[in-house]
């Protein structure tokens, strides 16, 4: 199955790992069109076009943020299967094949793969693996085999174009902007897809290594990300209007986390790494409390999402104003990408 892979980038600070991400897509055994979308950064846009003249490099045509960048890529995509890889994630061999395999079932609309943390400064000894979602990675409590899930983690996911055509694009009001640790746009999209009858599958044979910088291995970042996740889930709950928005979190909070606390308390009494075990037990409690508090703040302090991008996106036909950049030595010979048929819209 041919596919389009979209990588969204926003800062030169990640250039080295960004280059590894692009190279890892080029090395896949499944043919793919690669689109790099630059989020409102002219210098990065020019550098990316110079570095990857054989790939499609575009500027985000909507408001700043990951959702707008992803939507720009979706409009430009030439294939019906569209995969997304984070700019600080490196795909292992077989990543794309594994991510696309579930689409052999016509009822599958969205897929996600396993995301392994690549800690730049080493794993903090206090960090519980139940909270690896804080750094955008697969965490204890997720399935360990192929399974149907509510939503994938956005660092490694794929969707059918038909899903976007039917239920709309990524919603900007719940997406990340720069380094602001909000998120959840893939959760909200997946909920809409499931409501429309599509299945969402997790395929752990599809693996990426997600770089985790030293700045994300601090207690301050941990708490900030937990609070932001709570606020994001409040927004998703408002938008979706259904219990699906928190189904996975209920099971996680009532089963995964309590068992994790108990296991570490026991290890803290008898295990060889007692201090680390007790610290992780404490952080499980801190993480849950901070997330719940963030949810309460978001639920009662802010309602609704910004619909400006939705309006703009709905008016833009698929593939419009999308050009394949020419090599830097001949900037005037850019050619048009053949646009897919039909139109895309965002959720209202």
């Amino acid at each position: 199955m041919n596919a389009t892979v979209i990588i969204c980038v926003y800062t030169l600070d990640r250039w080295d790992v960004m280059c590894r991400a692009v190279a890892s897509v080029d090395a896949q055994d499944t043919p793919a069109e690669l689109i790099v979308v630059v989020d409102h950064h002219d210098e990065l846009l020019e550098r990316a076009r110079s570095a990857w003249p054989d790939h499609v490099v575009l500027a985000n045509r909507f408001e700043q943020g990951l959702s707008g960048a992803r939507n720009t890529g979706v409009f430009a995509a030439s294939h019906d299967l569209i995969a997304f890889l984070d700019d600080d994630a490196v795909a292992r061999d077989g990543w794309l094949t594994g991510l696309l395999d579930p689409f052999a079932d016509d009822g599958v609309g969205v897929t996600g793969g396993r995301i392994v943390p690549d800690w730049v400064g080493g794993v903090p000894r206090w960090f519980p693996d139940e909270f690896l979602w804080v750094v955008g990675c697969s965490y204890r409590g997720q399935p360990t085999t192929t399974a149907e899930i509510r939503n994938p983690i956005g660092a490694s996911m794929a969707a059918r174009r038909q899903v976007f055509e039917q239920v709309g694009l990524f919603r900007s009001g719940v997406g990340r902007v720069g380094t602001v640790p909000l998120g959840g746009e893939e959760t909200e999209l997946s909920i809409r897809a499931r409501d429309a009858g599509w299945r969402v599958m997790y395929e752990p044979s599809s693996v990426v290594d997600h770089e985790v910088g030293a700045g994300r291995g601090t207690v301050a970042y941990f708490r900030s990300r937990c609070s932001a996740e709570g606020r994001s889930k409040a927004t998703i709950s408002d938008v979706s209007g259904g219990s699906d928005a928190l189904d996975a979190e209920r099971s996680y909070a009532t089963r995964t986390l309590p068992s994790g606390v108990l296991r570490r308390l026991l290890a803290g009494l008898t295990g060889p790494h007692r201090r680390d075990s007790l610290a992780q037990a404490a952080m499980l409690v801190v993480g849950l409390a901070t997330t719940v508090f963030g949810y309460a703040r978001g639920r009662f302090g802010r309602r609704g999402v910004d619909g400006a991008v939705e309006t703009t996106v709905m008016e833009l036909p698929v593939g419009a104003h999308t050009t394949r950049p020419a090599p830097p030595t001949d900037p005037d010979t850019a050619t048009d990408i053949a646009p897919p048929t039909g139109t895309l819209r965002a959720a209202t």
Side-chain angles (χ1 to χ4, degrees), residues 190-211:
S190 296
I191 290 173
R192 280 186 275 133
R194 284 165 54 90
D195 287 345
W198 294 101
R199 299 172 65 203
V200 179
M201 299 298 297
Y202 176 66
E203 180 46 70
S205 68
S206 173
V207 184
V208 304
D209 295 293
H210 196 183
E211 182 174 290

Side-chain angles (χ1 to χ4, degrees), residues 328-345:
T329 55
D330 191 11
D332 298 323
T333 59
T335 56
D336 290 337
I337 296 174
T341 58
T343 58
L344 293 175
R345 62 181 178 84

Side-chain angles (χ1 to χ4, degrees), residues 108-191:
V108 173
V110 181
T111 64
R114 184 162 64 96
I115 305 163
V116 178
D118 178 13
W119 295 91
V120 173
V123 184
R125 297 170 68 177
W126 52 265
F127 201 107
D129 51 7
E130 287 87 348
F131 273 85
L132 281 171
W133 56 262
V134 164
V135 292
C137 296
S138 300
Y139 54 92
R140 182 189 290 270
Q142 281 189 295
T144 56
T145 60
T146 304
E148 187 166 356
I149 56 174
R150 184 194 62 186
N151 65 275
I153 295 175
S156 173
M157 63 174 290
R160 294 184 189 272
R161 172 178 292 278
Q162 188 178 350
V163 170
F164 294 112
E165 292 173 344
Q166 182 177 356
V167 309
L169 298 169
F170 291 100
R171 192 185 292 271
S172 63
V174 294
R176 179 182 288 262
V177 179
T179 59
V180 178
L182 295 171
E185 62 273 20
E186 61 274 352
T187 301
E188 195 272 335
L189 173 71
S190 296
I191 290 173

